[in-house]
Amino acid sequence: MILLCWPGLWVVQPSPSAGTSWSAVVSGHSVLVESKERNLQAAIGAYYDFESPNINVPSMSFVEDVTIGEGESIPPDTQFTKTWRIQNTGTEAWPPGVCLKYVGGDQFGHVNMVMVRSLEPQEMADVSVQMCSPSTAGMYQGQWRMCTATGLYYGDVIWVILSVEVGGLLGVTQQLSSFETEFNTQPHRKVEGNFNPFASPQKNRQPDENNLKDPGGSELGTISKNTWGPAPDQIEQDQNGLSQNSVNLSPSSHSNNLSVVTYSKVGALGEQENGVSTVLIPSDSLKTQTHKTGLSPGGATGLIPGLEPVLSTGMGSASPGLTTLPSGRLAWPDPALLPPPRDPDPRSWGCPESPSPPGTPEQPLPAFCLHYFDMLYPEDVAWATKGVGEASASGTQGGREEARKEPEQCPIIDSQGLGLGPEGDLQATLHLEEHSLEQVQSMVLGEVLKDIETACKLLNIAADPMDWSPGNVQKWILWTEHQYRLPQIGRSFQELSGKDLCAMSEEQFCQRSPACGDILHAHLDIWKSAAWMKEKAVPGDVRYCGGDSSWADSEVDSSCAGQPIHLWQFLKELLLKPHNYGRFIRWLNKDKGIFKIEDSAQVARLWGIRKNRPAMNYDKLSRSIRQYYKKGIIRKPDISQRLVYQFVHPV
DNA sequence: CACAAGGAATAGC
DNA sequence: GCTATTCCTTGTG
């Protein structure tokens, strides 16, 4: 099996040598695509539930804090109930199975999700979560967001802002809250009046960044509405255990031949507490689940058979021990912290105005964010593969049955009977999603092709691996290793041309690189498929073009094929792609040509890859930049700052 | 410690 | 010869 991670897209190819069967995982869901031809589009037949323009996204507005309003303080280590009032501001009732989920910041206890009933248009309801205040005084904040059963986040990001201090006033409001609870046996009663004198009227309050403090010292405390995605370091060093975006890429964890693997299910126990519906996720209850899936040969035109709209909590808060991501895992921006969809081009999500768009330290901003990727624990593989053989044998019928067969392992959260809704609704939803699937495929594919295009320009290599020289191969390997944080591959592929590489089997890849040969091979397969598609693509056919940039786009590329690139040209190339490299280098004043190297090590590494100089570092790179001083190409700006340079002749 | 500046030798084209 | 790389020293914050 190969497990391949593209930004936002996973592809699992169970039989690489045959090359006829692929499954793609997008947004945490998976489909299997039987492909008679070796065709990337078929490979990426994916069910994707992002905010397609064709899909109505529920609307939600935060109304007010019911308990723990602004200005209230709470004693340390104190249990309390946080209640928000929210409203369905859309024109349609919410779909069944929606929930409010913890998405970032401080979590205050173990509860990370609470079911919310389907609100009618304009209806308001209170949603409560049992929390526990931190043990040390200070200001804290956390973010929560509504989420559909299929993992689609919607509505305002709502905040918990806590002032923890000894002698806080919690007692008063909680007494009031408890008093109310006695008269409100419904977990989420309909609100008909503004009855709580402690409610704060502000909507979408901005926390005072100067006062917010994260106990772990992370920068999460400074998340604001203008900084939707956690910065790379924040993701990697998530002090809150919000690791639902992490995926273990270790091939050793995936050594079985799986037909299809999905990672979207958890074990969860719903329970009622003091009139508050809570979902507690024991960390040891996380499970993965296989779906038996299948689509018609060559076509990715159906929803996954057996895919149930299962509520996934992700796994983040359930795994408090996972505070850092070890090497080999990829982290992704949390889609929950992205703004509500407005721009149909998903590439623009997550980086609205931030000069430093969110992403992983190594990744350009993923165009498609995976919603829930639970870990596939090694010990779960045996369980996960159980039934896979049956899946292959029974084709497309088994998924739903499989889910029913093992309810203990994949409990479907259906608190208060709100789970799945009428079959008719589901069918309508499926129908709608089918329509968007093809569009989604195109977009996913476009993103893949664009990433390859970007890499080609950056590395100055051909798109078709068959055309690569041994030097190109080294560059590509270095690049892939860098881009996907693979273990050091070294020189085990030295002397090989692109043709040699293409002729190698996955086993041969693994022989040369036991740690990640399979992943590398899978990446090469994507490149080969993309080259095949490019060859087949009819000029003018925009189906495979991702938005504003086509494959043949001759976007500013200062390098000429075959010509050695100059460092200043390379820097300009990076600067011209802020979506990809804005975290590494960005303009401070484009008109004056002033730029700042934000991540010197990464820029140096990219330069080293480009020049096939693995030992490149910022010391050397900066020496090269300084060579430009006397040549009048680059200089230090008038007010010298560290890592800030200026093009003498800005474009 | 990271960065800045620049000298000197060397590599690669 | 030109450009970039590599290694080095010295200095700054």
Side-chain angles (χ1 to χ4, degrees):
Chain A
M1 178 194 75
I2 321 173
L3 212 158
L4 167 65
C5 181
W6 206 267
L9 168 72
W10 283 71
V11 177
V12 179
Q13 187 186 28
S15 51
S17 52
T20 58
S21 176
W22 290 73
S23 55
V25 182
V26 183
S27 273
H29 299 301
S30 170
V31 292
L32 175 64
V33 179
E34 292 297 330
S35 172
K36 297 292 184 190
E37 298 178 0
R38 186 183 185 78
N39 180 317
L40 183 59
Q41 185 186 6
I44 306 172
Y47 170 73
Y48 194 78
D49 65 351
F50 78 99
E51 294 88 335
S52 161
N54 290 345
I55 297 174
N56 288 331
V57 179
S59 297
M60 181 280 272
S61 284
F62 167 72
V63 179
E64 62 188 0
D65 295 306
V66 176
T67 64
I68 321 299
E70 190 175 27
E72 286 187 66
S73 53
I74 297 176
D77 277 327
T78 303
Q79 295 276 342
F80 64 95
T81 302
K82 172 66 192 179
T83 304
W84 302 274
R85 185 160 302 154
I86 60 175
Q87 182 178 26
N88 177 356
T89 51
T91 55
E92 294 178 17
W94 288 348
V98 297
C99 59
L100 181 68
K101 291 178 70 172
Y102 161 73
V103 293
D106 302 304
Q107 190 180 345
F108 311 121
H110 298 295
V111 180
N112 67 354
M113 185 176 95
V114 54
M115 295 301 301
V116 178
R117 69 180 169 81
S118 172
L119 297 184
E120 297 299 320
Q122 305 307 311
E123 186 182 3
M124 286 193 286
D126 288 357
V127 181
S128 300
V129 176
Q130 288 292 117
M131 295 182 173
C132 182
S133 61
S135 56
T136 55
M139 292 292 292
Y140 301 88
Q141 55 81 25
Q143 297 92 47
W144 294 66
R145 214 173 161 201
M146 290 299 297
C147 184
T148 68
T150 54
L152 175 68
Y153 286 97
Y154 66 95
D156 296 334
V157 176
I158 61 179
W159 296 74
V160 195
I161 301 175
L162 282 191
S163 171
V164 176
E165 58 185 68
V166 177
L169 298 175
L170 174 69
V172 179
T173 53
Q174 287 298 285
Q175 283 171 25
L176 177 66
S177 177
S178 301
F179 178 78
E180 287 173 1
T181 303
E182 290 178 22
F183 293 90
N184 291 279
T185 54
Q186 292 300 314
H188 306 298
R189 64 198 179 282
K190 187 171 181 176
V191 176
E192 294 179 350
N194 189 5
F195 55 85
N196 188 341
F198 292 89
S200 72
Q202 282 80 3
K203 181 182 175 183
N204 292 335
R205 258 176 318 144
Q206 292 286 330
D208 183 345
E209 293 184 2
N210 295 327
N211 292 334
L212 293 176
K213 170 183 157 189
D214 183 87
S218 77
E219 295 176 13
L220 282 171
T222 61
I223 289 176
S224 72
K225 293 186 78 173
N226 291 329
T227 315
W228 287 103
D233 291 346
Q234 295 161 357
I235 294 170
E236 241 186 353
Q237 300 171 5
D238 189 340
Q239 299 297 317
N240 299 287
L242 187 65
S243 52
Q244 66 189 40
N245 299 313
S246 65
V247 180
N248 192 340
L249 259 183
S250 167
S252 61
S253 305
H254 310 94
S255 54
N256 298 40
N257 283 335
L258 304 182
S259 289
V260 179
V261 183
T262 65
Y263 311 84
S264 57
K265 307 302 172 285
V266 299
L269 304 169
E271 66 178 52
Q272 295 284 113
E273 252 183 55
N274 298 329
V276 178
S277 173
T278 61
V279 179
L280 304 176
I281 316 291
S283 57
D284 59 357
S285 68
L286 296 169
K287 289 290 182 185
T288 58
Q289 177 196 4
T290 52
H291 279 304
K292 297 173 184 176
T293 67
L295 294 177
S296 55
T301 56
L303 184 65
I304 310 167
L307 174 65
E308 308 240 10
V310 177
L311 293 176
S312 168
T313 64
M315 62 167 296
S317 51
S319 302
L322 277 173
T323 54
T324 57
L325 298 177
S327 167
R329 286 179 185 170
L330 295 179
W332 305 86
D334 189 341
L337 287 172
L338 301 181
R342 290 189 183 85
D343 185 340
D345 179 0
R347 286 167 301 151
S348 64
W349 301 349
C351 48
E353 294 166 5
S354 168
S356 181
T360 70
E362 309 292 333
Q363 285 283 15
L365 175 70
F368 300 88
C369 300
L370 302 185
H371 282 208
Y372 317 111
F373 261 111
D374 297 338
M375 306 290 287
L376 182 62
Y377 292 110
E379 60 267 33
D380 286 333
V381 170
W383 175 84
T385 52
K386 179 186 173 187
V388 164
E390 305 160 24
S392 326
S394 58
T396 64
Q397 302 301 316
R400 193 175 296 267
E401 290 174 10
E402 183 74 8
R404 286 177 186 152
K405 275 179 190 171
E406 305 196 11
E408 320 79 31
Q409 290 168 320
C410 176
I412 295 172
I413 302 165
D414 189 10
S415 178
Q416 305 164 39
L418 295 175
L420 301 179
E423 193 68 24
D425 289 352
L426 189 58
Q427 288 302 322
T429 306
L430 301 190
H431 187 67
L432 193 63
E433 287 167 340
E434 279 180 19
H435 278 292
S436 66
L437 182 59
E438 196 170 331
Q439 186 180 359
V440 165
Q441 281 177 251
S442 259
M443 296 177 74
V444 171
L445 197 56
E447 291 302 315
V448 171
L449 295 182
K450 277 200 312 172
D451 283 342
I452 289 178
E453 179 189 16
T454 301
C456 285
K457 285 182 177 176
L458 187 77
L459 304 176
N460 196 24
I461 62 176
D464 189 346
M466 292 292 282
D467 297 335
W468 292 347
S469 67
N472 293 159
V473 169
Q474 280 302 117
K475 276 188 196 174
W476 176 79
I477 287 174
L478 271 171
W479 165 256
T480 307
E481 172 192 318
H482 162 88
Q483 189 79 344
Y484 300 97
R485 311 189 74 188
L486 305 179
Q488 293 277 326
I489 295 163
R491 299 264 171 183
S492 37
F493 292 83
Q494 212 169 7
E495 308 292 328
L496 291 173
S497 70
K499 276 182 186 168
D500 299 333
L501 210 62
C502 291
M504 286 169 61
S505 66
E506 185 186 356
E507 288 70 29
Q508 288 171 311
F509 266 71
C510 290
Q511 280 171 9
R512 289 178 183 258
S513 174
C516 57
D518 53 349
I519 296 172
L520 207 57
H521 186 260
H523 278 284
L524 182 67
D525 258 345
I526 287 284
W527 279 70
K528 284 155 72 177
S529 298
W532 179 87
M533 283 187 57
K534 184 189 170 191
E535 208 170 286
K536 289 252 177 181
V538 180
D541 182 352
V542 295
R543 275 174 43 123
Y544 304 134
C545 298
D548 59 358
S549 175
S550 73
W551 176 266
D553 190 339
S554 58
E555 193 180 39
V556 179
D557 180 9
S558 48
S559 66
C560 303
Q563 293 293 312
I565 189 174
H566 296 287
L567 176 58
W568 64 268
Q569 291 176 313
F570 179 79
L571 294 175
K572 278 195 174 176
E573 278 189 19
L574 297 186
L575 286 161
L576 286 168
K577 295 182 181 298
H579 281 274
N580 288 341
Y581 306 108
R583 287 162 289 134
F584 305 156
I585 184 172
R586 65 183 178 91
W587 292 112
L588 290 186
N589 186 331
K590 192 174 180 181
D591 292 337
K592 292 183 178 174
I594 300 173
F595 63 95
K596 180 173 186 182
I597 295 173
E598 297 283 357
D599 190 331
S600 58
Q602 292 299 338
V603 172
R605 181 124 197 247
L606 289 171
W607 177 234
I609 292 169
R610 180 70 168 81
K611 293 293 295 287
N612 202 10
R613 293 276 183 177
M616 180 56 63
N617 57 29
Y618 181 68
D619 185 45
K620 297 170 187 172
L621 182 144
S622 64
R623 184 70 193 92
S624 294
I625 291 179
R626 289 194 297 274
Q627 301 281 25
Y628 290 143
Y629 291 174
K630 54 188 171 191
K631 293 177 185 138
I633 297 172
I634 288 177
R635 66 183 176 93
K636 275 294 210 181
D638 296 333
I639 303 170
S640 182
Q641 287 177 274
R642 287 160 76 94
L643 298 170
V644 176
Y645 299 92
Q646 180 174 14
F647 287 104
V648 175
H649 303 293
V651 179

